[in-house]
Structures are given as C-alpha cells and as structure tokens.
Amino acid sequence: MTDLEPPLTAPGIHNIEAFANATAPKSQKAMRGIGQAFTYRLLAHVLYAISGIELFGIPGLTPFIGLRAWADELNERANDALGLGLFANAILAAQLTTNVTDGIELSDLFNGPAAQDFGSNWTLSSGGGAGAFAPNGQGSAAWMKSGGLTAIRKYRHNTETLGNHQAVQFLLTELPQSPNGGTAYIYLRGRINAAQNSEVYLRLARTGIRIGGFSGGSEFTIDSQIMTVRTGVWTLQLGTVGPGGDDREFVVYRNNLEVVRAKDLSDQSDLGDDYRGVGLAAEAAARNFATDQTLPGEVDAWAAADRTAPGIPPPEE
C-alpha cells in the first residue's frame, strides 16, 4: 500500500470563510457584469440584423438603418459590462505594483460592514452639507445621502509614497448620477499635502473629465475633456520619465488604455517631500431644488503606488 501525503495543517489554511466574505461582493458584481454583457450583446445583434433589412428586397431601401446607432450603443455597453466583470476579478487584490526600488504599494477593497468613514488608515476632510462617502456593506465605497446640499468628502491615506512619481487608481462600478441641479463628481487624488489643501486630481463627472488640483487652497485646471465617462479601472499617473518626460506631466488611463495626457506648463501644481499623499474623494450635488442629493458614483477598489511611466519623446528634427 502506497503511503499518502499527510494533510496540510498550516493555521487557517482550510478556513476560506474570511476570503469568501472579502471577495463575495466583488464576485457577485463580476457575474452580474458578465450577465449584463450577454444581454446587451444579444440585443445589439438583433438590432444590427433589423437595421440591415431591405424593404421589398430593394437594395439600399433600409428604413431601419437608424437602429444601427442604438445597436452600437448597446454593443459599447456590453463591452463595459464585460470589462467590469473581468476587471472586478482581476483587481481583487487591488494592487498597483511599484516599479521603484523600495516603493510603496497601497490598497483598499472597502469590504466589511457599512460605516460612516474609511477607517483608521485614512484621514477625512469634509466640506459642504451632510452625507457620507464610506463603505456601504456591499463591497463598495458609496455616498450615503443626507439632506439636499452639495457636499464633498476627501480622503488621504495615512501612508505616503516615497517619491514624486505616483500612480493612483480605482475600479469605478457606478457612474456619477445624471445631474438635476448641480453636478456630482468622483476624484482620484495624488500629491496631497498634510493639510489637504494642495493636490492634483482627476475628476470624473458623467459627461467629462478634468485634470486639476489645488495649491494652498487655490484651485487650478490643467486640462478638461468633454466625453462619455464609463465604468472601469481609471488610473491617474503623476509624473513621467525619460525623453519627453516631465515631473508635472499627468496621464489618465481607463482599463490600461491612455485617455488623455497633459502637462502643467505653468507649474501651478506643488511638488516635493510635503506632497506625497494619495487618496480619493466624492462630491454629491444639490438636487431637485436642494431636496435631494445627486450621487457621485461608487468605487469597488482603490490602489496607489510609487510608479514611473515614460513620457513621449519629442519628434526628431
């Protein structure tokens, strides 16, 4: 009789309850995302088929051709939903890997019970009216409404990065709500000082993005773009290196694809040892004549790291 290997007996190795509790909300969202993708894709194919019908068999007589734009939109939604499902699984560890020697890596999955803030690893700065941006007990950081005034909640992680070049990202699973009054925003934040009155941010609304920040409380804009914002993994890279690199160049990615790249040509943003904080923020807006709040969206994971990225070399003359 062949001897069998003894069972593994490391402490806790057979206890998957903690892991299951931590990942269940993310896994459920992944499955919902994949299911939604299937539904959108099926509807898109039906509309594509209808849009190509030629009336009475006459070539070019396609009265339903207008449905193609609707099909395109459904197809894009399918891509978004599938991307959410895949990225929700891929980012369970919520890690941005540093490419700097001895660099810092930070993350938060916002798991655990519902709360009024992110907990002891974070410092909160509040402004405006009531409401909370905090874990909702379902695996997300979400806005809890209170009253009908505009309000912002800014978080700075208590651990700073080592250098000026940072990357900050989150998994955006719910978009900012369509405005009915003011506009709601959700933010990625880097180069934050201890007082939280200096920073560089990526601000997402439902229909546009903005790279900007504060210096000693004075707000500035580096670049802004009108676009349809979609769910997914959004990343803000602060600083680039190599030919064409610049400490004050900022790059925005969605699902690892570059969206916009801009430089702070006026040196409005602060730089140096006092500006190494990272975090995120949410801003709810007054809604329905200040009787309600417009929601700023939901985030399922956040991460930051010391990280460099290449600049774009200038063209050869």
Side-chain angles (χ1 to χ4, degrees):
M1 182 175 178
T2 305
D3 290 335
L4 298 176
E5 290 290 333
L8 296 174
T9 56
I13 198 168
H14 301 296
N15 178 13
I16 65 170
E17 183 177 358
F19 177 79
N21 288 340
T23 60
K26 307 294 190 294
S27 299
Q28 290 166 12
K29 288 198 175 183
M31 294 304 296
R32 285 200 299 271
I34 294 168
Q36 287 174 348
F38 177 81
T39 302
Y40 288 141
R41 194 82 75 197
L42 178 62
L43 290 172
H45 285 311
V46 170
L47 290 175
Y48 280 134
I50 295 174
S51 69
I53 292 176
E54 295 176 341
L55 199 61
F56 306 120
I58 301 174
L61 185 56
T62 52
F64 306 115
I65 191 67
L67 294 176
R68 181 169 292 274
W70 189 10
D72 290 341
E73 174 65 20
L74 286 171
N75 205 36
E76 189 64 34
R77 289 189 183 185
N79 291 336
D80 287 345
L82 182 59
L84 259 185
L86 297 176
F87 270 89
N89 276 337
I91 204 171
L92 278 177
Q95 286 288 345
L96 260 175
T97 305
T98 183
N99 58 5
V100 175
T101 302
D102 298 324
I104 298 295
E105 297 175 352
L106 304 169
S107 64
D108 199 323
L109 285 176
F110 310 116
N111 287 319
Q116 291 299 304
D117 58 48
F118 288 171
S120 60
N121 290 330
W122 298 86
T123 298
L124 171 63
S125 175
S126 298
F133 181 51
N136 64 359
Q138 300 175 43
S140 302
W143 190 269
M144 286 72 164
K145 293 181 182 182
S146 181
L149 299 179
T150 296
I152 189 167
R153 302 293 178 261
K154 297 181 178 183
Y155 285 96
R156 181 184 190 270
H157 202 282
N158 293 336
T159 300
E160 299 182 340
T161 59
L162 296 181
N164 291 321
H165 289 197
Q166 307 167 321
V168 192
Q169 76 176 23
F170 55 39
L171 174 60
L172 182 67
T173 52
E174 293 289 342
L175 295 175
Q177 195 175 6
S178 296
N180 185 357
T183 302
Y185 306 103
I186 197 155
Y187 300 78
L188 282 169
R189 309 175 67 211
R191 296 188 181 166
I192 313 170
N193 66 347
Q196 298 208 57
N197 63 2
S198 291
E199 66 179 279
V200 175
Y201 62 64
L202 167 65
R203 189 182 78 178
L204 302 178
R206 194 174 182 90
T207 56
I209 70 172
R210 174 175 170 177
I211 303 172
F214 291 88
S215 177
S218 297
E219 192 167 16
F220 57 85
T221 299
I222 297 171
D223 193 14
S224 61
Q225 303 281 337
I226 297 174
M227 65 177 66
T228 299
V229 172
R230 298 190 180 276
T231 53
V233 178
W234 288 85
T235 307
L236 173 63
Q237 172 68 43
L238 299 100
T240 58
V241 297
D246 193 310
D247 287 343
R248 289 187 170 90
E249 181 171 46
F250 306 99
V251 191
V252 176
Y253 303 91
R254 177 182 172 269
N255 294 351
N256 295 328
L257 299 177
E258 184 174 316
V259 176
V260 64
R261 179 183 293 256
K263 290 185 178 181
D264 175 13
L265 299 176
S266 301
D267 293 347
Q268 301 171 89
S269 57
D270 294 311
L271 191 67
D273 293 347
D274 293 332
Y275 307 97
R276 301 281 169 82
V278 286
L280 70 163
E283 183 175 355
R287 187 177 184 85
N288 292 338
F289 303 101
T291 61
D292 195 5
Q293 289 180 314
T294 298
L295 298 175
E298 296 183 10
V299 170
D300 274 28
W302 171 93
D306 283 287
R307 191 167 179 84
T308 61
I312 296 180
E316 295 183 4
E317 296 183 357

